[in-house]
Amino acid sequence: MINGGLVLEGGGMKGLFTAGVLDFLMDKKIMFSSVYGVSAGACHMTSYISGQRGRAFDISVDYLDTRWYCGIPSLLTTGNLFNTDIAYGLVPNTLNPFDHEAYERYEGSAYAVVTDVETGKPEYMRLKNCRGKNMDKLRASASLPLVANMVNVGGKKYLDGGLSDAIPIERSIMSGNDKNLVVLTKEVGYIRKPIPAYELATLKLRYAAYPHVWKLMQDRDVRYNEQLKFLAQMEKDGKAFVLRPQEKSETKRIDKNPEHLKNLYNEGYMEAEKNYEKLAEYFGL
C-alpha cells in the first residue's frame, strides 16, 4: 500500500474517466493509504477499495435506460434525478452486489466529502464501511443542488461535496500525505465559468432558507479556479501527480450515451497506463 493520498474529483458521468483510472490501478494492484472522494468520485472510490474491477463502469451504464432510475420521472416523483432506492439499494444489494467484506478489509482511510448546508463548510466523512447509515454519507456526497434532496446524516443536512471542496488536495496534504495522486474529470486547460443568472435565481428561490448553498454556487467558479492554481503549484512542489483528460470530452455531466461513456472510461484507463512509469517513479514503486 502506498503511504499517500488519492484524491478523486466529482463530475457526474464525467466520472467515467475516474473509473478507468481506478481500474488501471487495480490491475497494477496499487492501493493508497488515504482516499478522498467527491460526489461521483466518492461512489467510484468504494468499488476501487472493494477491488471490484469494472463495477464502477457497469453500475454507471447498465441501468440508464431503466425508466425510473435516472431522469425526469424519478426527479418528479422522488426529488432525485437518480432514484436513490435503486442506486443505493437495489443495485448494490441485488443487481450488482457490493463486496462489503472486501471493502472492510481495507487498512487505509476513505472519506466522502460533503457540504453542510447550514454552514457551507465541507466535512470529510470517514467511510469505514458502506452499510446502513454510512450509505447516507455516500449519497450526501453525490447530492447535487436542484436535482437531489438534501441528505440527513446525524441530524444535519448535507449536499454534494463539490460545492465546498471540489478537489480536496489541501485536505489530503494537511492530513499528512506528502505525495498524492489527483484524478480530475475536467480537461487540461479547463476554466470554470460563472453560473448563469437564471440558474442562480432558481437556487436562491429553492434554498432561501439555506443561503450558504446558493452563495457557494455564486462564487463556485472563482474558488474552483483557485483550487486549480493551488494544485498546479502542488505539482511543481512534488506534492501532487495529476491525471486528467487531455481534451474536452463529448460526455456531458448527465449523459446516457453508452458510446460516450465507454470512450471516456477508456480514455481514463489509457491515460493512467500512459503515465504509469512516471507514476511509479513518483511514488517509488
Side-chain angles (χ1 to χ4, degrees):
M1 181 182 291
I2 293 175
N3 185 22
L6 175 60
V7 177
L8 307 174
E9 183 185 20
M13 304 308 284
K14 291 180 180 293
L16 267 297
F17 178 87
T18 302
V21 172
L22 295 179
D23 277 0
F24 178 82
L25 295 180
M26 280 189 265
D27 286 346
K28 293 296 183 180
K29 296 180 170 51
I30 298 174
M31 186 63 69
F32 291 82
S33 59
S34 298
V35 187
Y36 293 85
V38 181
S39 195
C43 295
H44 297 329
M45 168 184 78
T46 60
S47 294
Y48 163 70
I49 291 174
S50 67
Q52 292 176 272
R53 189 193 189 287
R55 184 176 184 274
F57 176 82
D58 290 343
I59 64 175
S60 297
V61 176
D62 285 354
Y63 316 110
L64 291 176
D65 289 335
T66 303
R67 175 175 170 79
W68 296 102
Y69 177 56
C70 172
I72 299 301
S74 176
L75 182 63
L76 293 177
T77 56
T78 71
N80 296 298
L81 185 66
F82 283 87
N83 187 302
T84 56
D85 288 339
I86 298 176
Y88 300 96
L90 185 61
V91 171
N93 295 333
T94 304
L95 298 179
N96 195 323
F98 181 71
D99 191 339
H100 291 281
E101 289 73 20
Y103 182 95
E104 290 161 21
R105 286 195 295 269
Y106 173 57
E107 296 179 352
S109 302
Y111 303 90
V113 184
V114 300
T115 300
D116 184 329
V117 300
E118 296 281 1
T119 66
K121 301 296 184 182
E123 291 187 20
Y124 309 88
M125 294 188 169
R126 179 83 180 270
L127 277 178
K128 293 183 178 180
N129 63 68
C130 295
R131 302 178 190 267
K133 292 190 177 299
N134 266 346
M135 285 293 280
D136 290 339
K137 299 176 183 178
L138 196 61
R139 186 160 63 89
S141 183
S143 290
L144 288 164
L146 299 180
V147 294
N149 295 317
M150 291 181 283
V151 180
N152 190 308
V153 180
K156 297 168 67 176
K157 295 178 180 179
Y158 297 94
L159 280 172
D160 196 286
L163 291 178
S164 54
D165 195 356
I167 311 170
I169 177 62
E170 186 173 3
R171 174 71 178 194
S172 185
I173 292 172
M174 290 177 62
S175 298
N177 295 312
D178 293 328
K179 291 193 173 184
N180 299 270
L181 173 59
V182 181
V183 183
L184 302 181
T185 55
K186 312 298 190 300
E187 69 277 3
V188 172
Y190 175 85
I191 298 175
R192 187 180 288 280
K193 298 178 181 178
I195 186 173
Y198 73 87
E199 189 173 341
L200 181 60
T202 303
L203 285 160
K204 287 182 177 181
L205 183 63
R206 173 75 178 272
Y207 299 103
Y210 304 96
H212 284 293
V213 173
W214 63 261
K215 288 179 181 179
L216 283 171
M217 291 295 289
Q218 186 175 38
D219 68 353
R220 191 182 183 192
D221 58 311
V222 175
R223 290 181 294 104
Y224 185 84
N225 294 332
E226 287 177 349
Q227 281 193 309
L228 288 179
K229 291 179 182 178
F230 178 78
L231 179 59
Q233 185 60 53
M234 292 304 98
E235 280 190 278
K236 292 180 181 178
D237 293 346
K239 293 187 177 182
F241 189 103
V242 180
L243 293 176
R244 70 185 105 190
Q246 293 303 300
E247 298 179 356
K248 185 175 181 179
S249 170
E250 57 191 347
T251 304
K252 301 178 177 63
R253 190 177 186 89
I254 303 298
D255 197 321
K256 293 188 177 185
N257 186 315
E259 183 177 351
H260 291 175
L261 302 176
K262 183 64 174 179
N263 289 343
L264 188 56
Y265 166 86
N266 287 337
E267 182 182 354
Y269 190 96
M270 290 186 291
E271 189 66 21
E273 185 176 43
K274 182 178 71 176
N275 286 277
Y276 175 65
E277 289 187 4
K278 294 179 181 178
L279 182 69
E281 182 181 358
Y282 175 74
F283 284 108
L285 300 179

